Amino acid sequence: MKLFPNKNIVVKLRNDRATTLNELRQNTKLTDTLISDYTDKGFIGKVDDSGFKIISSGIGHGAVCVFTGELQDSLGTIEIKLNNAFKVKFSILMVMPIIGFGITVLRNGIEESFGILIPMIFGILFIRFVFMELTFRIASTNGLKKLTNITGIKPVNINEVQQQV
């Protein structure tokens, strides 16, 4: 089981690698830091000759996912993972029920605190599998749609890639 969600996607390029990266470069505010900022561009990040590392430019929710892409001639791979700042925020949220349990044990003793153990576990699971997963899925889907519209990439099934090779 992974603590933080991520996705790996194989994509087919509509154009060649240079054209695709040039389109992405034109729609990206080029910077070394992956921090949300007001911009008229679709993405914020780095685009080089073989790939990219970008976040969506939406303030607040755009920085949730980091898109890291490596492109070859007609195919590429995109790894979508949680931004490090959001990993810290979600980790703090997941630790809070444990801290609450610890405080309850110190105040009431271990025997009196067993009743709060199940709600603590459900709280941690809710934060991980509902709150964090839902946030990641929404942000990654929106970012991938924007990336697809700008560059013309198309996610492909792994089976299609294996048949082409």
Side-chain angles (χ1 to χ4, degrees):
M1 179 182 84
K2 298 179 293 190
L3 184 59
F4 299 109
N6 65 350
K7 281 189 214 178
N8 289 313
I9 300 171
V10 177
V11 294
K12 184 176 182 179
L13 306 181
R14 177 180 59 188
N15 300 316
D16 63 344
R17 176 179 61 183
T19 305
T20 301
L21 289 172
N22 191 33
E23 289 173 3
L24 185 59
R25 193 174 286 116
Q26 290 174 355
N27 288 292
T28 302
K29 178 182 177 184
L30 300 174
T31 180
D32 289 335
T33 58
L34 298 175
I35 300 172
S36 291
D37 193 12
Y38 291 103
T39 181
D40 59 340
K41 306 283 185 168
F43 295 100
I44 299 171
K46 294 189 287 188
V47 181
D48 57 23
D49 292 336
S50 63
F52 55 87
K53 187 171 187 177
I54 56 175
I55 61 170
S56 182
S57 63
I59 297 297
H61 61 82
V64 172
C65 294
V66 176
F67 297 84
T68 306
E70 293 295 324
L71 305 179
Q72 287 81 33
D73 293 330
S74 63
L75 292 174
T77 58
I78 298 176
E79 178 186 17
I80 307 171
K81 60 183 181 178
L82 212 55
N83 196 339
N84 288 339
F86 283 88
K87 284 182 182 179
V88 170
K89 290 177 183 180
F90 285 128
S91 296
I92 290 170
L93 281 175
M94 286 192 295
V95 169
M96 288 178 75
I98 298 170
I99 292 172
F101 179 73
I103 291 171
T104 304
V105 167
L106 289 175
R107 294 187 85 195
N108 300 335
I110 192 80
E111 295 84 19
E112 298 287 327
S113 301
F114 277 122
I116 202 167
L117 190 61
I118 298 298
M120 178 199 69
I121 292 170
F122 278 120
I124 294 169
L125 293 175
F126 179 81
I127 291 167
R128 167 54 182 95
F129 290 107
V130 176
F131 190 60
M132 190 186 315
E133 189 73 29
L134 193 60
T135 303
F136 176 78
R137 285 188 185 205
I138 291 170
S140 66
T141 301
N142 290 340
L144 192 59
K145 282 181 187 175
K146 188 187 295 187
L147 187 61
T148 301
N149 290 338
I150 289 174
T151 62
I153 61 171
K154 180 181 173 186
V156 294
N157 191 348
I158 299 293
N159 295 332
E160 292 176 24
V161 175
Q162 291 173 348
Q163 288 174 0
Q164 289 178 355
V165 174

